[in-house]
């Protein structure tokens, strides 16, 4: 391993592969590919169709280098280890009942610059598209602040057989000699050994790729299945479209068949290919369509039962609504009666409180002072009343004397001197003025007392 992140590259090695196995993950490697993830993902291809997905991890203890073996080589101890996460086995040709385990098929790897989560593997028997699912799960695990189980990110990768160029177990192959990815438009171009050129349109959106369900989805589905719900609620709790897609999902991929046109296959090979196509049609298409038809019938029956149940619920709710309406009318009438009774009781309570307040003795200082003031005004009114009676008697006496004097004056003529007459008039005017002021004072006091 050469480190290119410095000005002077260093050669490091050897690389240690973990976890250790007896076969050491094969001995006939033919191709390597590094996917720029964090940490980097390494893809190791074997000639027997196996692909090992590994990650570069920092080594806990640096391994010894080869300096002791060959002094001419300057090899530094390796700072990294290769940890194998999973192994994907490719189909080399159409599946047979008896496969040849010793088939030698070099595999060439090429990155997909449009989608970093997948890469291409082309070989003598065709083309595969491999999607690495654990990279996205690992990124979500690292971005998630909540600690979770690291095993939940180990989602198995998916290999899709896109182009097949071999149908028999013989040596006749139509190998893929060249492979290139075009960006405008997004397509892949293959050059076959027979001289054929194939162009395939690439899917940019990752959601359109056929991927296996994650472990979270599987565990959630198992948890829902384990719950003891009724058949009606269980069917209506899931999406019908998702159920149909799940039933129509194929277990195997059907590649595009591209054989060498210069040599025609034998009748036996054609018969085997036809039998295999019929078997695939029955198991992967017709059988699944029968399951979909049964699912449709089941869903229709479920919806009918659900409709009947909803009708019954609606009728029950209408009856309950009528009962609630009658109860509301009765409660409204009772409320009006209680409100009227409350008003009557409130008035009686106010009257009782008013009477009680009037009969309670005044104990505070203001009431005592007010009582003293009333008593003083009452005494003053009595004095003024006695004075008024005295002045009234005096006026009556004077009126009597005046009347008697007038009678006497009529009987005889008596003229007073002018000075004496003026004095008498002044005295009478003064007495009249005092009487008027006393009357006004008595009226004012009477108003205050009342």
């Amino acid at each position: 391993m050469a480190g290119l992140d410095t000005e002077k590259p260093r050669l490091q090695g050897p690389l240690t592969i973990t976890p250790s196995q007896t076969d050491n993950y094969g001995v006939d490697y033919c191709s390597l590919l590094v996917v720029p993830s964090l940490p980097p993902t390494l893809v190791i291809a074997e000639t027997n169709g196996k692909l090992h997905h590994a990650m570069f991890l920092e080594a806990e203890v640096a391994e010894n280098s080869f300096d002791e073996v060959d002094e001419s080589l300057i090899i530094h101890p390796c700072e990294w280890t290769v940890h194998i996460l999973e192994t994907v086995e490719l189909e080399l040709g159409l599946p047979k009942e008896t496969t040849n385990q010793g088939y030698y098929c070099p595999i060439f790897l090429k990155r997909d610059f449009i989608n970093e989560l997948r890469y291409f593997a082309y070989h003598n028997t065709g083309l595969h598209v491999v999607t690495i699912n654990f990279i996205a799960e690992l990124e979500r695990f690292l971005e998630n602040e909540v600690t979770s189980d690291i095993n939940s990110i180990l989602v198995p990768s998916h290999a899709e057989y896109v182009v097949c160029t071999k149908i028999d177990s013989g040596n006749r192959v139509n190998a893929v000699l060249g492979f290139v990815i075009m960006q405008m438009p997004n397509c892949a171009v293959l050059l076959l050994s027979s001289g054929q050129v194939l162009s395939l349109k690439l899917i940019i959106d990752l959601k359109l790729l056929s991927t296996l369900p994650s472990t979270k989805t599987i565990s959630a589905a198992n948890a829902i299945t384990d719950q003891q719900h009724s058949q009606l609620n269980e069917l209506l709790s899931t999406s019908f479209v998702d159920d149909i897609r799940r039933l129509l999902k194929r277990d195997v991929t059907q590649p595009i068949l591209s054989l060498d046109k210069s040599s025609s296959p034998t009748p036996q090979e054609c018969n085997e290919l036809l039998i295999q196509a019929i078997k695939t049609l029955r198991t992967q298409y017709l059988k699944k369509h029968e399951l979909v038809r049964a699912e449709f019938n089941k869903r229709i029956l479920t919806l009918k039962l659900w409709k009947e149940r909803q009708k019954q619920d609606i009728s029950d709710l209408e009856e309950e609504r009528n009962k609630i309406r009658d109860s509301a009318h009765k409660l409204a009438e009772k409320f009006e009666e209680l409100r009227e009774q409350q008003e009557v009781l409130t008035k009686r309570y106010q009257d009782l409180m008013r009477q009680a307040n009037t009969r309670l003795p005044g104990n505070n200082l203001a009431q005592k002072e007010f009582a003293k003031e009333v008593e003083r005004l009452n005494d003053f009114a009595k004095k003024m009343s006695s004075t008024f009676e005295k002045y009234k008697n005096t006026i009556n006496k004077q009126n009597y004397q005046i009347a008697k004097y007038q009678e006497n004056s009529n009987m005889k003529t008596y003229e007073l001197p002018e000075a004496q007459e003026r004095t008498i008039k002044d005295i009478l005017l003064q007495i009249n003025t005092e009487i008027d002021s006393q009357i006004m004072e008595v009226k004012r006091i009477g108003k205050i007392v009342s």
Side-chain angles (χ1 to χ4, degrees):
M1 179 177 179
L4 301 179
D5 56 347
T6 58
E7 296 180 358
K8 185 178 180 180
R10 295 183 304 162
L11 184 62
Q12 300 179 8
L15 287 172
T16 302
I17 298 179
T18 59
S20 59
Q21 288 189 357
T22 55
D23 59 350
N24 199 21
Y25 299 98
V27 294
D28 196 2
Y29 297 153
C30 58
S31 183
L32 294 175
L33 176 66
V34 177
V35 179
S37 60
L38 187 64
T41 302
L42 177 65
V43 182
I44 305 173
E46 293 188 54
T47 56
N48 57 1
K50 291 183 179 180
L51 300 176
H52 303 289
H53 293 163
M55 301 189 74
F56 284 110
L57 302 178
E58 294 184 1
E60 297 180 358
V61 179
E63 297 289 340
N64 295 327
S65 62
F66 286 154
D67 292 344
E68 299 177 357
V69 179
D70 190 354
E71 296 180 355
S72 62
L73 293 176
I74 302 176
I75 303 177
H76 299 274
C78 187
E79 300 175 356
W80 304 89
T81 59
V82 178
H83 183 75
I84 302 294
L85 294 178
E86 62 178 354
T87 300
V88 179
E89 189 170 358
L90 303 180
E91 297 180 10
L92 302 179
L94 293 181
K96 300 287 183 178
E97 295 181 358
T98 58
T99 58
N100 186 10
Q101 298 294 336
Y103 181 68
Y104 179 82
C105 180
I107 299 175
F108 303 94
L109 305 177
K110 191 173 185 63
R111 279 184 56 195
D112 185 1
F113 295 97
I114 300 175
N115 185 1
E116 295 182 354
L117 300 182
R118 68 182 180 184
Y119 63 92
F120 297 93
Y122 61 97
H123 38 78
N124 293 340
T125 61
L127 173 68
H128 280 82
V129 177
V130 183
T131 303
I132 307 176
N133 293 322
F134 65 82
I135 294 179
E137 295 294 332
L138 180 60
E139 292 178 355
R140 281 194 289 268
F141 175 80
L142 295 176
E143 293 176 357
N144 190 9
E145 296 180 356
V146 181
T147 58
S148 58
D149 189 8
I150 190 66
N151 295 324
S152 61
I153 68 171
L154 300 179
V155 182
S157 300
H158 177 65
E160 184 176 0
Y161 206 169
V162 180
V163 178
C164 177
T165 60
K166 183 176 182 297
I167 61 173
D168 57 355
S169 58
N171 295 325
R172 292 186 305 172
V173 294
N174 190 12
V176 179
L177 300 181
F179 176 80
V180 66
I181 299 176
M182 307 293 293
Q183 294 185 356
M184 295 297 291
N186 297 318
C187 63
V189 180
L190 286 79
L191 175 62
L192 305 181
S193 60
S194 61
Q196 295 175 288
V197 177
L198 299 180
S199 62
L200 304 174
K201 186 177 181 180
L202 297 180
I203 300 176
I204 300 176
D205 191 0
L206 182 62
K207 296 180 181 179
L208 299 179
L209 295 175
S210 57
T211 57
L212 293 177
S214 61
T215 55
K216 295 181 180 179
T217 307
I218 295 174
S219 60
N222 293 332
I224 295 175
T225 306
D226 294 338
Q227 295 178 356
Q228 296 180 354
H229 293 298
S230 63
Q231 182 180 4
L232 183 61
N233 294 330
E234 184 178 357
L235 288 176
L236 295 177
S237 61
T238 58
S239 175
F240 181 64
V241 178
D242 294 338
D243 292 340
I244 298 301
R245 288 178 179 175
R246 178 178 54 81
L247 293 175
L248 291 177
K249 187 176 181 180
R250 298 189 299 272
D251 299 331
V252 297
T253 58
Q254 295 298 316
I256 300 173
L257 193 60
S258 180
L259 303 177
D260 189 0
K261 296 182 179 180
S262 60
S263 60
S264 59
T266 62
Q268 183 179 0
E269 293 175 350
C270 293
N271 185 28
E272 292 179 357
L273 183 61
L274 179 61
I275 292 174
Q276 183 179 355
I278 294 174
K279 182 179 179 181
T280 303
L281 181 63
R282 288 177 177 176
T283 57
Q284 300 297 327
Y285 291 91
L286 297 180
K287 185 177 180 180
K288 293 183 180 297
H289 280 78
E290 291 294 333
L291 294 176
V292 170
R293 179 184 296 177
E295 184 68 21
F296 268 104
N297 295 331
K298 187 177 180 181
R299 177 68 62 156
I300 291 172
L301 179 60
T302 302
L303 292 177
K304 287 182 179 179
L305 295 175
W306 182 252
K307 183 179 180 181
E308 295 295 331
R309 179 177 174 181
Q310 286 183 338
K311 287 182 178 179
Q312 184 65 30
D313 292 341
I314 290 172
S315 61
D316 295 340
L317 289 174
E318 288 179 352
E319 293 179 359
E320 189 69 22
R321 183 183 62 182
N322 294 330
K323 292 180 181 179
I324 293 173
R325 185 181 298 169
D326 296 338
S327 301
H329 287 303
K330 293 179 180 179
L331 290 175
E333 294 176 357
K334 289 183 179 180
F335 175 75
E336 292 295 333
E337 294 177 358
L338 293 175
R339 188 170 63 84
E340 293 176 357
Q341 293 179 3
Q342 184 181 6
E343 291 178 355
V344 173
L345 292 175
T346 303
K347 291 181 180 179
R348 292 179 61 184
Y349 168 75
Q350 291 177 354
D351 294 339
L352 291 174
M353 290 298 296
R354 190 180 298 109
Q355 293 177 6
N357 289 329
T358 55
R359 294 181 181 180
L360 287 175
N363 296 323
N364 52 11
L365 183 62
Q367 291 179 351
K368 290 181 179 180
E369 291 180 355
F370 181 75
K372 290 180 181 180
E373 184 68 19
V374 171
E375 186 177 358
R376 186 182 65 79
L377 291 175
N378 191 14
D379 296 339
F380 182 74
K382 289 180 180 179
K383 290 180 181 180
M384 293 299 295
S385 179
S386 61
T387 305
F388 177 73
E389 290 293 333
K390 187 185 295 185
Y391 279 113
K392 187 176 180 181
N393 293 330
T394 304
I395 291 172
N396 291 332
K397 289 180 180 181
Q398 289 179 357
N399 290 331
Y400 175 73
Q401 291 177 0
I402 291 170
K404 189 175 180 180
Y405 175 76
Q406 288 178 355
E407 289 178 359
N408 293 329
S409 63
N410 290 329
M411 292 176 63
K412 64 177 182 178
T413 303
Y414 179 76
E415 294 181 1
L416 293 175
E418 185 178 357
Q420 190 176 2
E421 185 179 358
R422 189 183 303 111
T423 302
I424 292 171
K425 288 181 179 181
D426 292 337
I427 292 171
L428 291 175
L429 289 173
Q430 184 178 0
I431 292 171
N432 192 14
T433 303
E434 290 179 359
I435 290 172
D436 291 337
S437 62
Q438 292 294 331
I439 291 171
M440 292 177 64
E441 185 69 20
V442 169
K443 289 181 179 180
R444 187 179 65 82
I445 293 171
K447 289 181 180 180
I448 294 173
V449 173
S450 61

